[in-house]
Amino acid sequence: MAAWSCRFLLQRGTRLISLRAAAESPVQLVGCVRTYMRKNEPWQRHEWTEGSRRVGLVAVKLGMAPIWTTTGERHVVTMLQVQDCHVIKYLPKEEYDGCTAALIVGGKNVSPFYRSESELEMFRNAGVPPKQKVTTFKVSDNALIKPGTPLYAAHFRPGQYVDVTAKSIGKGFQGVMKRWGFKGQPATHGQTKTHRRPGASGPGGDPAKVFKGKKMPGKMGNTYITAHGLKIWRVNTKHNVLYVHGSVPGHRNCLLKVRDTALPTRSSTLLNPPFPTYFSEEEADLDEDLYDDNLFFHTEPSLTLT
Amino acid sequence: MAACVKGLDKFTFSLRLIRNLQLQNERYLSTSLCRSAPESNADPPRFIPPSKPVIIDKTQPEASKRKFLSPEFIPPRQRTDPVKFSMERKDMIRRRKVLDIPEFYVGSILAVTMADPNASGKVNRFVGICIQRGGKGLGATFVLRNIINNQGVEICYEVYSPRIQKIEVLKLEKRLDDNLMYLRDALPEYSTVDPDMKPVNYSHTGEVPVNKIKVRMRPKPWSKRWERPNFDIQGIRFDLCLTPEQMAHAQKWAKPWEEYDMLKEYDTSQLEKEIFLEVQQEMNK
């Protein structure tokens, strides 16, 4: 509830902060601009090659809607909106894990009052307002992007496949039947006080112990779950919305991490993507809506099946 | 006396003659005046074009002048971003520009033609009475019920499905309830609709006619306990199938506090007005 109402208060708050900052310290702002002038050159851009990995996005789950193909089949899609997605930091491979370089990307803008000073410093170095979700993407060396560049939904194109990672809805402390799908016991026929219990906990005297990792009741949900191989049906460049096949973990208005698929069978669809990302200054002639070939869009006349 | 009358007749006849002559003379005088005037003045008389003929196009169905907003446009009370609803509304309007989705209510009789790969001619037409309208946004549905060859058939259609080719309203009317699922337990005569029914003319202005019919039910057991107050059904003749004791027993499940519950209120009047204006503007573009 607090997060929902804060979003609308935040818009007023950020405007007030910017006004106050401009009024109090005009000299400091000029100083900042002077230092950034030196690091203002854009980074080198490379072409896409087989086996190169590019950045992903951080998106917000809006809701679900039905979709129809040109053959009349009905599917469901989830709408993901990319709100204020920026690249925040570049970690060269020596700093990250010794193997691959990484880029830290942040999602939705959020109030600076509830973030620690170290985080705020990272955002300040990138020249970007504080973000709610900050994730790392492993990236190949030819797909590096300068911190501070905005990322848009047109980074993905219809027909591509993505993996979506998010925290699943928390269910609290749950019993073994809901958490692990155990069958439980019958409701009648003499069962004394045993209808949803786990039953036996393992073999008998030989191990004489319960193995580690035994499925038992506990806290369920609120963990990171990835949905693999989701097709992108449609991209709206005006509102930055991706229409992604099927369902996605997380509740409405939760933040998700969206990347290109790791599945080998779907990697053939990723031919000549916008690499390293979609820059709105260069490719400004995209339509407002990009559709997949098999998608029926509502401006067409009704289907006649033959 | 008779002589006076005869005399009067001749008098009136002669008066009429004189009046006609006078009129004719006036006409001649007026035209001659008109003709004489322009010759004396410099500029000609101002050309008054003939009035435009009013074309009444009776081939196309008449557009409704009632202020009706389809219920699937009104968003439900959720914590969803309004952007999602506005994008869905744009898609719904795009579909409405291609397919004419008329105004209808629960209780109206509709005929729907849908593309079907298994039907001969690839198209099938179903006529039925609308018993339920559900869903919001693009997934809005309506259920049509009819009895064909002594078998009750209900088909749930999606309003914005591209397989639907035509929706015709054969009879536009409302009923006393928003949900006519009780027709499943009513006598079959109330759910039968003639498949070859001709469209009944209805007015496009004013109130929609309400059919205040009270339906007779089959003997109990029913699929649901329709007498209970949570369904709030006005359209069943309970006096014929239930005793007053059974009716009083059903009132035990009444929740009289619900009408005073302020948290359950969802006032959509402001939303409806804004959405109606938006939809009208987009449709007229």
Side-chain angles (χ1 to χ4, degrees):
Chain A
M1 192 64 185
W4 178 251
S5 49
C6 269
R7 206 168 134 222
F8 299 97
L9 296 172
L10 171 70
Q11 287 160 1
R12 261 192 67 222
T14 40
R15 259 186 281 139
L16 287 170
I17 292 164
S18 56
L19 285 171
R20 221 184 293 154
E24 283 170 2
S25 53
V27 180
Q28 282 175 17
L29 281 171
V30 168
C32 285
V33 165
R34 251 189 260 134
T35 48
Y36 275 126
M37 287 286 276
R38 278 183 269 128
K39 308 171 198 171
N40 216 10
E41 310 87 25
W43 286 11
Q44 164 115 75
R45 301 208 0 218
H46 305 267
E47 286 300 312
W48 177 81
T49 56
E50 282 269 353
S52 47
R53 286 158 86 165
R54 53 178 195 149
V55 183
L57 304 174
V58 175
V60 175
K61 177 174 171 179
L62 289 183
M64 298 181 76
I67 219 134
W68 288 272
T69 55
T70 43
T71 45
E73 284 153 15
R74 182 189 190 263
H75 299 293
V76 224
V77 287
T78 318
M79 293 159 68
L80 311 180
Q81 189 179 31
V82 179
Q83 289 176 5
D84 316 312
C85 191
H86 284 97
V87 176
I88 293 173
K89 203 167 167 183
Y90 159 60
L91 297 172
K93 64 180 183 195
E94 297 82 21
E95 275 179 43
Y96 185 58
D97 64 348
C99 251
T100 2
L103 279 177
I104 300 186
V105 174
K108 201 164 121 172
N109 283 351
V110 103
S111 151
F113 298 125
Y114 300 99
R115 294 281 179 276
S116 60
E117 192 44 56
S118 52
E119 289 174 13
L120 286 181
E121 196 195 313
M122 185 171 72
F123 294 120
R124 226 180 299 133
N125 290 340
V128 137
K131 304 287 182 189
Q132 185 173 340
K133 183 175 172 88
V134 164
T135 45
T136 39
F137 289 97
K138 276 194 192 172
V139 149
S140 55
D141 285 320
N142 54 351
L144 300 177
I145 308 177
K146 186 176 173 185
T149 28
L151 300 172
Y152 300 103
H155 178 83
F156 293 113
R157 293 297 156 91
Q160 265 187 328
Y161 287 81
V162 285
D163 290 343
V164 178
T165 314
K167 265 202 170 166
S168 53
I169 297 178
K171 312 271 183 202
F173 195 100
Q174 286 300 336
V176 108
M177 276 177 85
K178 192 178 184 74
R179 196 177 184 214
W180 299 113
F182 282 18
K183 273 181 82 176
Q185 288 83 29
T188 58
H189 290 300
Q191 307 289 323
T192 28
K193 308 198 292 184
T194 318
H195 305 290
R196 299 184 66 94
R197 298 182 76 187
S201 58
D206 188 6
K209 67 172 186 171
V210 176
F211 294 125
K212 276 200 194 296
K214 173 86 192 69
K215 292 181 180 176
M216 283 187 167
K219 291 253 164 66
M220 180 183 166
N222 203 23
T223 49
Y224 283 105
I225 301 287
T226 312
H228 297 275
L230 303 177
K231 182 170 173 181
I232 295 199
W233 285 103
R234 180 176 159 183
V235 175
N236 184 307
T237 41
K238 188 177 164 198
H239 297 281
N240 271 327
V241 172
L242 297 168
Y243 286 62
V244 141
H245 186 86
S247 55
V248 132
H251 52 85
R252 267 191 305 250
N253 304 316
C254 79
L255 286 160
L256 324 137
K257 176 176 171 178
V258 187
R259 321 186 299 267
D260 296 322
T261 325
L263 298 175
T265 45
R266 303 286 189 211
S267 56
S268 54
T269 49
L270 192 68
L271 294 164
N272 272 334
F275 197 82
T277 187
Y278 163 77
F279 291 103
S280 57
E281 303 88 44
E282 286 146 45
E283 298 163 65
D285 57 344
L286 275 187
D287 302 326
E288 190 190 322
D289 271 301
L290 301 166
Y291 297 96
D292 183 51
D293 298 324
N294 298 335
L295 185 59
F296 170 85
F297 41 101
H298 300 282
T299 40
E300 299 274 296
S302 305
L303 291 180
T304 38
L305 307 171
T306 42
Chain B
M1 296 297 141
C4 297
V5 167
K6 263 193 242 164
L8 264 172
D9 277 337
K10 280 185 204 156
F11 187 56
T12 49
F13 185 57
S14 54
L15 267 179
R16 266 191 232 128
L17 266 176
I18 294 162
R19 226 187 293 135
N20 284 342
L21 279 169
Q22 275 184 336
L23 282 168
Q24 282 173 0
N25 286 340
E26 282 167 8
R27 255 186 261 138
Y28 282 134
L29 281 167
S30 59
T31 46
S32 58
L33 273 169
C34 280
R35 262 187 246 132
S36 60
E39 286 160 7
S40 53
N41 293 350
D43 32 90
R46 224 162 3 118
F47 173 66
I48 304 157
S51 55
K52 271 193 184 154
V54 178
I55 305 166
I56 304 168
D57 187 11
K58 286 189 183 157
T59 50
Q60 305 298 324
E62 215 181 298
S64 180
K65 294 177 203 84
R66 251 188 297 265
K67 248 187 119 172
F68 173 70
L69 183 68
S70 213
E72 65 258 11
F73 278 104
I74 302 159
R77 191 170 130 184
Q78 281 174 348
R79 283 170 166 217
T80 326
D81 209 326
V83 168
K84 190 238 178 189
F85 294 129
S86 71
M87 294 189 72
E88 264 196 315
R89 246 177 280 138
K90 274 195 210 141
D91 271 337
M92 284 150 78
I93 290 168
R94 276 183 204 136
R95 177 70 184 152
R96 273 174 184 256
K97 284 189 179 167
V98 178
L99 172 73
D100 169 46
I101 297 170
E103 162 193 5
F104 67 97
Y105 303 88
V106 169
S108 331
I109 298 175
L110 305 190
V112 174
T113 24
M114 190 164 88
D116 188 356
N118 305 320
S120 57
K122 302 300 169 194
V123 171
N124 79 15
R125 182 175 190 260
F126 185 75
V127 178
I129 184 169
C130 176
I131 56 175
Q132 183 184 273
R133 279 192 87 159
K136 299 281 180 194
L138 280 170
T141 54
F142 61 97
V143 181
L144 293 184
R145 179 182 168 81
N146 200 350
I147 298 192
I148 299 172
N149 297 349
N150 294 331
Q151 173 63 53
V153 176
E154 283 182 17
I155 303 187
C156 176
Y157 290 102
E158 284 189 315
V159 183
Y160 296 97
S161 167
R163 284 169 63 193
I164 291 184
Q165 287 168 357
K166 197 172 180 192
I167 304 179
E168 303 154 51
V169 174
L170 300 177
K171 189 171 182 190
L172 182 75
E173 63 176 9
K174 276 193 204 184
R175 293 276 210 132
L176 292 168
D177 309 301
D178 272 334
N179 203 310
L180 297 178
M181 284 292 177
Y182 57 81
L183 289 180
R184 293 169 177 169
D185 298 315
L187 297 174
E189 65 202 41
Y190 295 100
S191 316
T192 3
V193 175
D194 178 26
D196 305 312
M197 190 173 139
K198 295 276 171 271
V200 165
N201 284 332
Y202 54 88
S203 79
H204 296 272
T205 46
E207 291 289 323
V208 177
V210 179
N211 190 350
K212 297 207 167 126
I213 191 170
K214 290 221 171 202
V215 142
R216 284 166 192 247
M217 302 292 275
R218 282 209 215 102
K220 270 202 158 191
W222 296 331
S223 60
K224 294 245 185 280
R225 295 175 208 261
W226 302 113
E227 71 277 8
R228 297 242 171 126
N230 63 323
F231 292 112
D232 192 27
I233 289 180
Q234 308 294 325
I236 297 182
R237 284 214 61 183
F238 287 118
D239 50 332
L240 293 176
C241 40
L242 292 179
T243 58
E245 290 85 27
Q246 282 174 314
M247 290 301 293
H249 181 69
Q251 289 304 314
K252 272 191 172 181
W253 281 268
K255 295 183 192 168
W257 58 86
E258 265 194 345
E259 73 171 285
Y260 305 105
D261 194 340
M262 291 171 77
L263 284 182
K264 290 203 175 163
E265 285 170 8
Y266 181 38
D267 187 25
T268 47
S269 47
Q270 195 60 34
L271 256 180
E272 264 191 57
K273 275 186 217 159
E274 289 165 21
I275 295 173
F276 181 73
L277 282 172
E278 185 192 324
V279 169
Q280 248 198 337
Q281 278 170 359
E282 291 290 316
M283 290 294 290
N284 291 339
K285 271 192 191 168

